[in-house]
Amino acid sequence: MEKNFKTMVTIFIGYFLLSLFSNTLSPFITTIKSTYNVSSNIIAFIPSVVYCASLIMNIIGAKLMPWLGIKNGMCLGIVFEILASLIIVFSKSFHVILIGYFIAGLAIGMACLYLSTMLSLLPQKYQKFSFANACFGLGGILILPVDRLILKMGIKFNYTYIIHIILISLYIVLVLKIDGRTFYKSNSECKTSFSILKNPLILLLCIAVFFYVGAEISTTNWTGTFLEKYYGISKVEVPSILLSFWILFTIGRSLGDKFLDKIGQLRFLSISPLIAILGIFILLFGKSKIQALTGFSIIGISISLMYPALQGYIVQHVDKKNIPSASAVTIIFNNLGATFLTYMIGFAGGIKITYVFIIQILFYMYITLVSIYYMISKPKKV
């Protein structure tokens, strides 16, 4: 099997396993609350801890990249995952499990940064960003029934992390088999600098990533509540609707690379946000359940390839020496959007839920305008 292809497959497996690991928390939030007898305000702190730790490690990991190298940095991220899992498995108090999830956030930040950079440094025909994100989405879909089965069988929630320890320990064997020279001949060639943000192309597209992530997460966080309140859809139906959204979203990403190669990333990014806005209008002004589901489906299909398109365009329009820097700032802006924008949008949604979707329209308009600008100006590589 060709070396670059084997590396690409290993990266895809890494995205899948990282998703299984990172998405294990959400279904267990209420279980953790009752197990450790903590308040709703305290339990709500855990996701914030994970997000903040991930963002911190994105920044630190980028700075450490020239010293660690790509392959060793990925291995360190895996070690953090195993350490976090062990702490969670053996935790007896809420404070200990909080430390476990903080280290889990560090692991997610490190692994996500290095997986993205590894994929970005492969030859362009192997840079399947859309499929990599589909693998991440698939992990998020499959871990839900596993978590439900654990709870249904009365098994302690933290024992789920034994599965992660086994899978991640096996995965590190695959990572160790990667030839580090696939990326750079020596670690000294791998340089990262946040000064790349001084380039308007990188900065404006990273802001687009920031807005996109806020829009995507707020869609999944608030659509269920919106459908219940404005369309009378029951709480029992909402999880199935959201699962259908993620399945549709993941299918779109699994088929997206050839589509983006054919029509071009910027052309897609200049049109898809407008289609998403159309879906929002249908959702906001529809009168029936069918219209609501149609609007939601349009949003899901149209935004599924936005992040891979942005990610791909950024790293494919810089010189190889700048790829680690471009990959790092893309991931950092991704986490900034997840950490801060979702809370700001959540605050607006608490005032009036329709504000969530109105804010998204502004975000999508920004992505469209920036994409049209660069499609016309055709900038050179950074």
Side-chain angles (χ1 to χ4, degrees):
M1 193 183 293
E2 205 269 330
K3 180 177 70 173
N4 289 318
F5 182 80
K6 285 170 66 176
T7 303
M8 180 186 71
V9 172
T10 301
I11 293 168
F12 291 160
I13 295 170
Y15 270 102
F16 176 72
L17 295 178
L18 179 63
S19 179
L20 291 178
F21 179 77
S22 63
N23 286 295
T24 296
L25 171 62
S26 296
F28 289 146
I29 285 289
T30 53
T31 305
I32 295 171
K33 180 176 178 288
S34 59
T35 301
Y36 297 100
N37 195 27
V38 293
S39 68
S40 298
N41 290 334
I42 296 296
I43 201 66
F45 192 58
I46 290 184
S48 301
V49 166
V50 175
Y51 276 133
C52 289
S54 181
L55 178 59
I56 290 167
M57 189 50 87
N58 284 161
I59 297 168
I60 295 174
K63 287 295 184 182
L64 291 176
M65 199 176 288
W67 178 65
L68 288 172
I70 305 295
K71 182 178 171 180
N72 291 337
M74 185 64 221
C75 290
L76 182 60
I78 294 171
V79 170
F80 276 127
E81 287 186 50
I82 294 172
L83 177 60
S85 298
L86 286 170
I87 292 172
I88 293 168
V89 168
F90 293 108
S91 63
K92 299 296 182 183
S93 70
F94 181 74
H95 293 96
V96 174
I97 206 167
L98 197 61
I99 293 169
Y101 279 115
F102 177 79
I103 296 174
L106 297 178
I108 293 165
M110 194 75 162
C112 190
L113 172 67
Y114 280 82
L115 282 170
S116 175
T117 305
M118 287 162 68
L119 189 60
S120 301
L121 286 167
L122 290 177
Q124 189 167 330
K125 74 173 184 174
Y126 296 105
Q127 292 176 2
K128 307 296 183 184
F129 291 103
S130 188
F131 193 82
N133 281 279
C135 291
F136 192 89
L138 181 62
I141 291 169
L142 293 182
I143 196 61
L144 293 173
V146 173
D147 287 352
R148 288 196 196 103
L149 181 63
I150 294 289
L151 293 174
K152 191 175 181 180
M153 294 175 67
I155 300 171
K156 288 185 177 181
F157 78 91
N158 41 351
Y159 289 172
T160 310
Y161 286 85
I162 295 173
I163 300 172
H164 294 307
I165 292 170
I166 295 168
L167 292 175
I168 296 163
S169 298
L170 293 172
Y171 180 64
I172 200 169
V173 176
L174 292 178
V175 174
L176 290 172
K177 288 182 178 180
I178 293 175
D179 184 355
R181 292 171 297 180
T182 302
F183 312 113
Y184 286 107
K185 290 180 180 179
S186 66
N187 289 353
S188 61
E189 294 182 42
C190 176
K191 297 178 180 179
T192 54
S193 172
F194 297 140
S195 63
I196 195 172
L197 289 170
K198 292 178 181 178
N199 183 280
L201 169 70
I202 303 300
L203 178 61
L204 292 176
L205 289 177
C206 281
I207 292 172
V209 169
F210 176 73
F211 285 153
Y212 165 76
V213 173
E216 180 201 308
I217 295 177
S218 62
T219 296
T220 54
N221 285 353
W222 287 92
T223 298
T225 306
F226 180 81
L227 293 175
E228 288 176 33
K229 186 172 182 179
Y230 285 89
Y231 286 93
I233 294 174
S234 70
K235 289 184 178 180
V236 177
E237 292 178 282
V238 166
S240 297
I241 292 170
L242 291 176
L243 179 60
S244 300
F245 171 86
W246 281 116
I247 291 172
L248 195 66
F249 195 81
T250 301
I251 291 172
R253 285 188 165 178
S254 67
L255 304 172
D257 290 298
K258 285 186 178 180
F259 180 73
L260 289 174
D261 288 342
K262 189 171 183 178
I263 72 165
Q265 294 141 330
L266 287 183
R267 187 175 298 171
F268 173 80
L269 289 166
S270 65
I271 298 170
S272 62
L274 299 178
I275 299 173
I277 291 171
L278 173 63
I280 290 172
F281 278 121
I282 293 172
L283 196 63
L284 290 177
F285 298 107
K287 302 296 181 184
S288 67
K289 181 179 175 180
I290 294 296
Q291 289 174 318
L293 296 179
T294 301
F296 193 38
S297 298
I298 290 172
I299 295 170
I301 293 169
S302 60
I303 72 172
S304 63
L305 300 183
M306 280 189 200
Y307 182 69
L310 285 165
Q311 188 181 22
Y313 187 83
I314 290 170
V315 301
Q316 289 167 8
H317 284 77
V318 297
D319 291 330
K320 187 174 181 179
K321 65 178 182 179
N322 290 324
I323 285 177
S325 299
S327 177
V329 294
T330 303
I331 295 297
I332 289 168
F333 272 78
N334 181 322
N335 261 322
L336 282 170
T339 305
F340 297 111
L341 265 188
T342 48
Y343 289 100
M344 292 169 60
I345 295 171
F347 177 77
I351 299 171
K352 191 174 183 180
I353 197 167
T354 52
Y355 290 168
V356 171
F357 298 98
I358 293 169
I359 292 170
Q360 287 180 22
I361 291 172
L362 298 177
F363 291 169
Y364 291 138
M365 284 303 302
Y366 173 86
I367 295 171
T368 292
L369 292 173
V370 169
S371 301
I372 290 173
Y373 172 75
Y374 283 116
M375 190 166 59
I376 294 170
S377 61
K378 297 179 180 177
K380 296 179 180 179
K381 279 193 173 186
V382 177

